[in-house]
Amino acid sequence: MLQSLPTTQKLSEHFRQEIVGIDQQVPLLDGSFTIYTNLDNSASTPAFRRVKEKMDEVFTWYSSVHRGSGFKSLLSTHLYDEARLVVLNFVDADPESECVIFCKNTTEAINYLASIYPFEPGDMVLTTAMEHHSNDLPWRVKAQVIYAKVLDDGSLDMEDFVAQLERNAGKIKLVAVTGASNVSGFMPPIYEIAEMTHRHGAKILVDCAQLFPHRQIHVGPADSPRHLDFIAFSAHKVYAPLGSGGLIGPKEFFNQLEPGYRGGGTVEIVTLKEVIWTTSPERNEPGSPNVIGAVALASALKQLSEVGMEAIAAHEAELTHYALIKLNQLQGITLYGFKDPNRVEDRLGVISFQVDGLTHGKVAAILGFEGGIGVRNGCFCAHPYILRLLNVTDEQYKAHHERALKHNRADLPGLIRISFGCYNNFADIDRLVNMLERIIQGDYRGVYAPDNHSGSYYPQGFEMASLSKYFSF
Ligand SMILES: Cc1ncc(COP(=O)(O)O)c(C=O)c1O
């Protein structure tokens, strides 16, 4: 497959021109400046230029949605409703049966579903030990949560998953699984899992926070066994700004339940004695909606669709292949999750590693302060998965627990993560690898120390307040 990708360089060049701030210079420790290399797309992607332009354009028009009679209100209502269709179309969901409830992000979307889900006492949620906390903690307060295991290579233990599903058939009401891990990039076989889940009489939620910008998602027809009942996603991971995201699911399901939040916009009629709720998605979107966020999201999705998710996936697979070869060649790097450069089909371009003998916080700080490279370090809101990948023993965990209780977070277990977007290129990876080589050889100039409260490392003499000179309100 990798040989058949001559367009990949062209694709990153195309997208680089589309990224706001792609040439942004950032200061380095020695007082010089360099163009920022963003290898932290799993956290948030930069925005597309078109998104910024469309946001500027809509600022001149935007007004109340579903409320006003003036032209600007009508147009805003129209744009908001059209944005829903763009989103549903992007994930191959039928607008007749499915709806998107706009939320502020994936976390809110999953919490919302958890808050309204009609669990009965004794009901279970089957999830996995590789989830982001946002697809784990909301379920813990609503049902008994059980976790399918993870194998040593970071993939999901499907045998254990099936065994738990079969053992608890009838009690499991929902399977909540990630579409892709934000730690290892591993992609569980979600359509196969959907089929098994439905066979056992449960529904499935796929946390698509990571999958959304990288793969074509098929919610599919409601009567298909491979149908994804619910998906959740965030706009800020798909080249639009923070503050919008969504929960997609069947209108019929939402219409049968009380809304999670109540207020303006959710009702047909209210008297002092009675409330008649309106239908979904409005039933589930109280208050004035974020029309600008919806327009930004829809613009980003249109742009991705024009290129096609297949081409994007192929390009990112090639980057991942290249990065794994380079990182595997470096002495002094330990990779976590899949190390095999040829295994790029069932994973995203999310790679976690450690530099032997150096704490993750220090490496991340040197990359930022001396290389102008943005990565993530720590446990990436997936503590159980990272502890499992690092084989942290119960004894070690107890010691970390004690320190965390005292708010001493310096040098807790963790990893360094790089994650690619459609605009990254081989030069970005080369820059990272060169900096890692220097770090391994001790060729860096700063003296770094941790801030115990946050766990982050900073070079001696660095003051947060010094950043004010780069931006003022
Ligand atoms: C797999 C996964 N799920 C959920 C989330 C939460 O997304 P948000 O912070 O946008 O709510 C993230 C964020 O990184 C994630 O990677």
Side-chain angles (χ1 to χ4, degrees):
M1 173 211 153
L2 291 168
Q3 284 81 348
S4 62
L5 300 173
T7 56
T8 181
Q9 265 314 80
K10 269 193 247 154
L11 197 115
S12 62
E13 286 318 309
H14 165 79
F15 278 122
R16 284 183 100 72
Q17 288 166 17
E18 300 294 321
I19 294 290
V20 178
I22 192 76
D23 294 325
Q24 181 63 51
Q25 302 255 348
V26 293
L28 298 179
L29 194 60
D30 65 3
S32 65
F33 279 75
T34 192
I35 291 178
Y36 189 62
T37 303
N38 185 24
L39 293 177
D40 193 15
N41 294 282
S42 284
S44 289
T45 51
F48 285 146
R49 269 183 221 289
R50 187 201 290 186
V51 168
K52 186 168 179 282
E53 284 160 16
K54 289 289 162 194
M55 287 178 79
D56 270 354
E57 199 181 325
V58 79
F59 262 111
T60 56
W61 291 110
Y62 98 93
S63 183
S64 59
V65 170
H66 298 146
R67 281 158 176 78
S69 57
F71 183 84
K72 288 191 173 185
S73 289
L74 295 181
L75 182 63
S76 295
T77 300
H78 173 69
L79 292 176
Y80 192 68
D81 292 342
E82 286 290 299
R84 285 196 211 281
L85 292 177
V86 173
V87 173
L88 292 172
N89 192 33
F90 185 73
V91 294
D92 188 19
D94 179 357
E96 286 297 309
S97 58
E98 314 298 310
C99 65
V100 54
I101 296 168
F102 282 125
C103 304
K104 78 173 188 255
N105 51 32
T106 306
T107 306
E108 189 178 70
I110 297 176
N111 270 283
Y112 186 76
L113 183 63
S115 76
I116 60 170
Y117 210 88
F119 291 115
E120 307 265 337
D123 283 351
M124 289 177 162
V125 171
L126 171 59
T127 183
T128 80
M130 66 167 62
E131 300 304 316
H132 189 282
H133 299 331
S134 294
N135 192 29
D136 172 3
L137 307 186
W139 306 114
R140 293 193 192 185
V141 288
K142 295 297 294 190
Q144 184 190 341
V145 181
I146 53 174
Y147 301 88
K149 289 188 190 135
V150 164
L151 297 171
D152 287 342
D153 69 357
S155 63
L156 180 61
D157 183 342
M158 282 305 289
E159 249 177 59
D160 184 57
F161 179 89
V162 173
Q164 297 215 44
L165 189 60
E166 285 175 354
R167 199 177 320 129
N168 298 294
K171 286 194 251 166
I172 295 173
K173 291 291 150 38
L174 185 77
V175 167
V177 65
T178 191
S181 160
N182 65 317
V183 175
S184 62
F186 175 73
M187 292 162 49
I190 49 174
Y191 303 104
E192 209 181 294
I193 290 176
E195 221 169 338
M196 287 191 274
T197 299
H198 294 139
R199 222 171 25 244
H200 288 83
K203 290 190 190 298
I204 182 168
L205 158 80
V206 182
D207 168 357
C208 288
Q210 291 301 328
L211 200 60
F212 216 71
H214 304 293
R215 288 290 189 284
Q216 175 66 58
I217 295 167
H218 296 282
V219 166
D223 58 359
S224 161
R226 293 166 83 83
H227 171 68
L228 306 179
D229 299 294
F230 306 99
I231 68 166
F233 63 93
S234 299
H236 70 99
K237 294 185 194 288
V238 64
Y239 309 100
L242 292 141
S244 82
L247 173 66
I248 295 178
K251 287 180 195 167
E252 198 186 334
F253 173 87
F254 296 122
N255 282 336
Q256 283 167 7
L257 299 171
E258 290 276 306
Y261 300 118
R262 295 126 201 265
T266 60
V267 296
E268 286 297 331
I269 189 160
V270 180
T271 68
L272 291 182
K273 292 195 180 128
E274 187 184 47
V275 182
I276 301 184
W277 303 113
T278 190
T279 50
S280 295
E282 287 82 7
R283 181 188 185 94
N284 308 93
E285 289 181 356
S288 302
N290 177 3
V291 60
I292 294 179
V295 166
L297 171 63
S299 306
L301 299 187
K302 281 223 157 184
Q303 188 150 0
L304 289 175
S305 299
E306 279 165 21
V307 171
M309 297 311 287
E310 300 274 306
I312 289 169
H315 166 59
E316 292 174 359
E318 202 169 65
L319 289 179
T320 309
H321 174 76
Y322 182 75
L324 285 171
I325 288 178
K326 291 278 180 176
L327 291 171
N328 272 312
Q329 282 168 354
L330 277 184
Q331 295 286 325
I333 297 279
T334 306
L335 290 163
Y336 291 82
F338 321 115
K339 305 171 180 65
D340 183 355
N342 295 313
R343 187 173 174 184
V344 286
E345 262 90 22
D346 59 353
R347 66 168 300 161
L348 300 182
V350 178
I351 302 174
S352 290
F353 61 92
Q354 272 186 340
V355 176
D356 303 344
L358 285 180
T359 178
H360 53 91
K362 184 168 173 179
V363 175
I366 302 171
L367 287 171
F369 281 98
E370 302 194 32
I373 300 169
V375 299
R376 175 92 186 260
N377 74 285
C379 282
F380 324 141
C381 303
H383 295 186
Y385 189 32
I386 299 256
L387 296 179
R388 166 73 178 87
L389 289 175
L390 287 170
N391 284 322
V392 173
T393 62
D394 287 351
E395 278 305 297
Q396 289 166 330
Y397 172 74
K398 253 189 235 152
H400 299 315
H401 175 98
E402 290 304 313
R403 283 176 49 216
L405 284 182
K406 291 179 189 139
H407 304 290
N408 179 0
R409 293 160 86 181
D411 301 337
L412 286 174
L415 297 171
I416 302 149
R417 177 184 78 187
I418 55 168
S419 49
F420 304 128
C422 58
Y423 63 94
N424 284 120
N425 59 17
F426 296 129
D428 292 337
I429 298 169
D430 290 341
R431 222 166 287 131
L432 170 83
V433 170
N434 287 341
M435 265 316 286
L436 287 174
E437 268 169 347
R438 281 183 47 195
I439 293 171
I440 291 165
Q441 288 158 13
D443 177 16
Y444 52 89
R445 57 190 293 155
V447 177
Y448 292 84
D451 166 58
N452 283 345
H453 188 73
S454 68
S456 300
Y457 273 70
Y458 300 107
Q460 222 170 40
F462 172 75
E463 295 284 345
M464 254 322 173
S466 69
L467 300 181
S468 304
K469 63 173 177 270
Y470 298 101
F471 191 92
S472 58
F473 299 106

